[in-house]
């Protein structure tokens, strides 16, 4: 495993799910710095380094929940992929829904992948490990 | 009843005046048409084969109510007084005519749906018999008897006078009353632009047919040919392309032309005896009237039934869609809190591993297990509620191919347990393929799950009995006791401990619903410790 630190942005409004991800990340095989934003508008502000987020660094990966208040996940995805400065960042859609139309819509909006949230904790650890393993070991991330 | 300002109810005083006006108008119309009818009285000055007032009376009493009977009485009295007879005989005849109307109206109201008598073929028949035939006997009997008693008619001619009187009234009821009633129900033509053209065309044709068949339009010799049946297609045209109202009107128009021409000596009915001619003509027109009315009633009944069917189909589709959406949303939203419960309990387990006492760990694992089972139940309920509402349509599929699909879907557990699946010859049937696949999968899955210590052996066969296929899925498992054989089809009913056999208990419920939606039945025959055979039927393609 590479020794660099992965900057991960989690866009998730459910506090319980955030806790789970935080806890699960303790068990993964790579070093990660996790930032969490609770809704779509804050996510875009973070990515564009606006307002209170002016000093943050661009994340390497974005984990995006579809079910967000105000701006929903699809909107955020659309705006990220339209923004020439942001569209390179791989976006992994996280969703409770396994419905075909949600999957299709996400890929239509150019999500890099679609992951259904696991129902159990071990499953979440496995998912995060797979994500990290793939994007750090197998794929080449876009250079910042 | 006091009338409030601006209320629609007329004050009692003006209601009385309206009634008086109606009575007056009725009497006047009765008188005019009565005189016209009696101008065609050939067998006796007071008995005619053409008697419109009967039809007008019946229609008036049905539309305006029994209360306008004085108009009838007055009109009849005056007509007869000014024609032939004394005050006495005129009173007798007037009484007879009024009673005829009242009896006819009462019978139609009571037994034939009143003003709507021409909506249903059944009611039309009742109208013809009760009003057309029976009530008219009252008038004929009272009328001819009055005349004979008063010495204005010979008792020896009673029968022929009575017959003319009766048939004349019958024709009045069959030809005039329907037209008046139907137009009173729907006074506005309500035709579309194209229909107006067609109506004018029909009127033109009716006139021409009348002239040709009855009027010697082409040649006098030709007018003698019995061509009256040529009228019928035009009446059918009116019935099919318009409605009961127009069919009755067309008939009346033809009758009018026919009567006029026959009296002038033209047409197939014209002969040496005008009364006989008129009676035969009236009989013909009466029959065609009943035919046209019945035909259009059947047509409109069918149109109404189709409309009702369409409306119900729309309602059903909407209700199904609402239900499916509700189930989908509900279960989706319910999954999320369950996921929270389940994963946070696991988080607890994970974080405090080894630091909690064994009881605590056990409690947590029970809770986690409960949440997982609930999730499985919700998923299964969702599947169950969606059966038959999906977009998949009925199609043909090969059952043999479905068995192969099941085999590959359950390949892992088949391999692990050493299951052997054999089949007889299986047919091609009609149904929803994915649901049938689920059905078979559930049955085979059960057969494997509820096995004994020996490797499961499953045999799937089918047999054609009468017009349905009887499928059987036979296993050598643990069997089901007789007293449980009905319970197993209910949702979430299980016969075993969760530790022994897994599953939420809805597999057979789903199987049963799928079979029933395809028009079949599902049942089981079983012997404990020997095995079970599940039977289900599907209608064969040919049926």
């Amino acid at each position: 495993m590479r020794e660099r630190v992965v900057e991960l942005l989690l866009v998730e409004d459910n506090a319980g799910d955030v806790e789970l991800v935080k806890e699960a990340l303790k068990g993964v095989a790579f070093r990660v710095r996790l930032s969490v934003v609770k809704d779509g508008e804050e996510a875009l502000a973070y990515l564009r380094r606006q307002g209170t987020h002016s000093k943050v660094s661009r994340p390497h990966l974005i984990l995006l929940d579809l079910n967000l208040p105000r701006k929903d996940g699809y909107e955020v995805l659309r705006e990220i992929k339209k923004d020439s400065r942001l569209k390179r960042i791989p976006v992994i859609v996280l969703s409770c829904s396994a419905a075909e139309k949600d999957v299709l819509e996400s890929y239509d909006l150019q999500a890099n992948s679609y992951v259904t949230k696991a129902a159990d904790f071990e499953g979440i650890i496995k998912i995060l490990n797979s994500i990290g393993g793939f994007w750090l070991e197998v794929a080449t991330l876009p250079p910042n | 009843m006091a009338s409030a300002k601006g209320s629609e109810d007329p004050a009692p005083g003006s209601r009385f005046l309206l009634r008086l006006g109606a009575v007056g108008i009725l009497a006047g119309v009765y008188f005019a048409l009565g005189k016209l009818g009696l101008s065609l009285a050939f067998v006796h000055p007071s008995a005619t084969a053409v008697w419109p007032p009967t039809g007008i009376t019946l229609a008036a009493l049905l539309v305006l109510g029994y209360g306008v009977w004085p108009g009838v009485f007055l009109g009849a009295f005056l007509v007869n007084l000014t024609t032939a007879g004394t005050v006495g005989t005129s009173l007798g005849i007037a009484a007879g005519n009024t009673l005829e109307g009242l009896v006819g109206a009462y019978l139609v109201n009571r037994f034939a749906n009143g003003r709507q008598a021409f909506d249903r073929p059944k009611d039309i028949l009742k109208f013809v018999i009760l009003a057309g035939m029976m009530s008219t006997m009252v008038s004929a009997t009272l009328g001819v008897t009055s005349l004979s008693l008063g010495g204005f008619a010979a008792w020896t001619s009673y029968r022929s006078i009575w017959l003319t009187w009766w048939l004349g009234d019958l024709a009045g009821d069959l030809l005039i009353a329907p037209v008046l009633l139907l137009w009173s129900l729907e006074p506005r033509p309500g035709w579309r632009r194209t229909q107006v053209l067609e109506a004018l065309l029909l009127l033109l044709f009716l006139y021409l047919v009348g002239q040709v068949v009855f009027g010697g339009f082409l040649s006098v010799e030709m007018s003698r040919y019995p061509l009256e049946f040529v009228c019928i297609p035009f009446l059918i045209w009116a019935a099919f392309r318009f409605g009961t109202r127009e069919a009755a009107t067309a008939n009346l128009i033809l009758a009018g032309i026919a009567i006029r021409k026959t009296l002038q000596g033209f047409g197939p009915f014209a002969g040496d005896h005008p009364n006989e001619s008129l009676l035969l003509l009236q009989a013909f027109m009466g029959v065609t009237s009943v035919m046209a009315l019945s035909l259009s009633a059947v047509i409109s009944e069918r149109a109404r039934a189709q409309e009702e069917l369409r409306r119900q189909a729309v309602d059903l589709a909407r209700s199904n869609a609402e239900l499916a959406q509700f189930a989908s949303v509900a279960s989706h939203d319910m999954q999320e809190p369950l996921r929270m419960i389940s994963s946070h309990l696991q988080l607890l387990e994970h974080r405090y591993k080894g630091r909690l006492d064994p009881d605590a760990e056990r409690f947590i694992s029970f809770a986690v297990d409960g949440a997982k089972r609930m999730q499985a139940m919700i998923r299964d309920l969702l599947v169950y509620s969606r059966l038959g509402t999906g977009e998949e349509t009925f199609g043909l599929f090969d059952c043999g191919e479905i068995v192969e699909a099941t085999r590959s879907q359950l390949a892992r557990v088949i391999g692990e347990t050493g299951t052997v699946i054999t089949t007889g010859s299986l047919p091609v049937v009609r149904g929803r393929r994915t649901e049938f696949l689920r059905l078979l999968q559930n049955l085979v899955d059960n057969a494997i799950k509820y096995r004994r210590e020996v490797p499961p052996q499953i045999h799937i066969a089918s047999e054609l009995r009468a017009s349905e296929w009887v499928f059987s899925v036979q296993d050598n498992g643990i069997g089901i006791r007789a007293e449980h054989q009905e319970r197993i089809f209910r949702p979430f009913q299980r016969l075993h401990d969760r530790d022994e056999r897994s599953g939420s208990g809805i597999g057979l419920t789903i199987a049963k619903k799928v079979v029933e939606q395809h028009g079949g039945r599902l049942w089981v025959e079983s012997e404990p410790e020997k095995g079970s055979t599940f039977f289900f039927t599907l209608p064969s393609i040919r049926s």
Side-chain angles (χ1 to χ4, degrees), chain A residues 4 6 11 33 48 64 90 100 105:
Chain A
R4 84 186 207 207
V6 177
V11 187
R33 185 150 58 217
R48 291 177 178 141
L64 175 62
E100 198 176 295
E105 171 104 33

Side-chain angles (χ1 to χ4, degrees), chain A residues 17-87:
Chain A
D17 274 335
V18 171
E19 282 297 318
L20 286 170
V21 168
K22 278 190 183 159
E23 192 68 24
L25 283 174
K26 290 187 187 161
V28 297
F30 52 91
R31 288 173 57 203
V32 64
R33 185 150 58 217
L34 178 72
S35 312
V36 180
V37 290
K38 286 206 300 289
D39 66 35
E41 285 183 3
E42 214 194 322
L44 289 166
Y46 184 101
L47 289 167
R48 291 177 178 141
R49 301 198 198 147
Q50 294 164 344
T52 51
H53 303 298
S54 50
K55 299 261 182 26
V56 302
S57 47
R58 282 259 162 75
H60 293 116
L61 284 176
I62 302 175
L63 291 176
L64 175 62
D65 179 36
L66 280 181
N67 196 0
L68 298 170
R70 288 196 292 264
K71 243 188 194 118
D72 81 350
Y74 292 124
E75 263 309 299
V76 178
L77 184 54
R78 195 176 284 129
E79 287 206 29
I80 291 178
K81 292 302 173 183
K82 261 202 315 212
D83 189 327
S84 54
R85 297 163 296 168
L86 303 176
K87 66 184 183 185

